[in-house]
Amino acid sequence: MHRVLVAPSILAADFSRLAEEIHQVEAAGADWIHCDIMDGHFVDNISFGPDVVRLVRKETSLPLDVHLMIEHASHFVPRFVKAGANSITVHVEPEAKHDVVETLRQIRDAGCRAGLTLNPETPFDIIEPFLGKFDMLLVMTVHPGFGGQPFRSDQMEKVRRAAAWNKSREQKIDIEVDGGINPKTARISVENGADVLVAGTSIFHSINYAKVIRELRGE
Ligand code: DX5
Ligand code: ZN
């Protein structure tokens, strides 16, 4: 089995010393840095925008994994590309108010990896028509908007279905899970086929980032 990647979500970091937090998770073995972008419309919370992503870019050479929980993603994609994103993930729900195929193409054309995601309430079938047009599927294991919510194991069926795609296709997609990931739920996710683990609270609210990251990987 290939190595599981860990993507700490800086949403749970101490923003008064964000640079230091980034250096610490990098030193602790993080693979990517996950940036949660919330606009107060698509989700009921506001986080940060491209200017903060640009600051994060300056502090690390790790890939930046940008998760857009916003309306009209295509309008903002160029700004996140310019800020230094390596992968950009967009929501499939109609409330995200964009042409999903067009936005995925825009992300790839800009040289980034394109991710597609769906809320826990959204049925998996909605994703299928987009297969081949994205590089990573993000399975939300909480309803997006806030860190620190409990993991929803009912979403593992989506992870298994995506893993089944990968078995039958030459072009593999990464399967990422996001929300309520701790060493225990990480194990469940990986057993079901997840390759990338996003974790905010379990890493940044711990006293030993390296230990938690190792435990998330099952080491
Ligand atoms: C949820 C965000 C997640 C969140 C995860 O809206 O997309 O990335 O920060 O946080 P934890 O790990 O605390 O559930
Ligand atoms: Zn996220």
Side-chain angles (χ1 to χ4, degrees), residues 105-171:
R105 187 182 304 130
Q106 184 189 13
I107 294 167
R108 281 179 161 180
D109 285 353
C112 289
R113 300 180 72 241
L116 191 59
T117 186
L118 73 178
N119 288 338
E121 301 76 19
T122 305
F124 186 82
D125 294 340
I126 201 173
I127 289 284
E128 285 192 53
F130 304 105
L131 196 53
K133 298 181 167 58
F134 61 94
D135 309 295
M136 174 162 78
L137 176 68
L138 170 55
V139 175
M140 289 306 304
T141 41
V142 297
H143 188 83
F146 298 89
Q149 303 180 72
F151 174 82
R152 291 184 51 158
S153 55
D154 61 343
Q155 299 304 303
M156 290 301 102
E157 195 213 334
K158 293 175 182 171
V159 173
R160 287 195 297 277
R161 286 183 66 181
W165 279 348
N166 274 346
K167 285 216 176 76
S168 62
R169 285 172 56 89
E170 205 149 300
Q171 195 94 39

Side-chain angles (χ1 to χ4, degrees), residues 9-23:
S9 164
I10 57 168
L11 193 65
D14 177 350
F15 269 65
S16 69
R17 26 178 220 93
L18 185 57
E20 199 184 315
E21 291 275 66
I22 292 162
H23 303 157

Side-chain angles (χ1 to χ4, degrees), residues 9-12 34-36 38 43 67 69 91 138 140 142-150 178-182 198-203:
S9 164
I10 57 168
L11 193 65
H34 186 81
C35 301
D36 284 306
M38 304 177 181
V43 289
H67 175 195
M69 289 162 275
H91 274 264
L138 170 55
M140 289 306 304
V142 297
H143 188 83
F146 298 89
Q149 303 180 72
D178 184 4
I181 301 296
N182 57 39
V198 176
T201 305
S202 69
I203 295 173

Side-chain angles (χ1 to χ4, degrees), residues 33 35 37 50 52-58 62-68 76-89 107 110-114:
I33 302 291
C35 301
I37 313 300
V52 171
V53 174
R54 190 172 300 116
L55 295 177
V56 177
R57 175 76 295 159
K58 281 200 206 139
L62 293 178
L64 302 187
D65 181 35
V66 173
H67 175 195
L68 298 182
F76 292 99
V77 160
R79 298 190 210 181
F80 287 103
V81 172
K82 200 160 167 240
N86 298 88
S87 52
I88 300 181
T89 296
I107 294 167
C112 289
R113 300 180 72 241

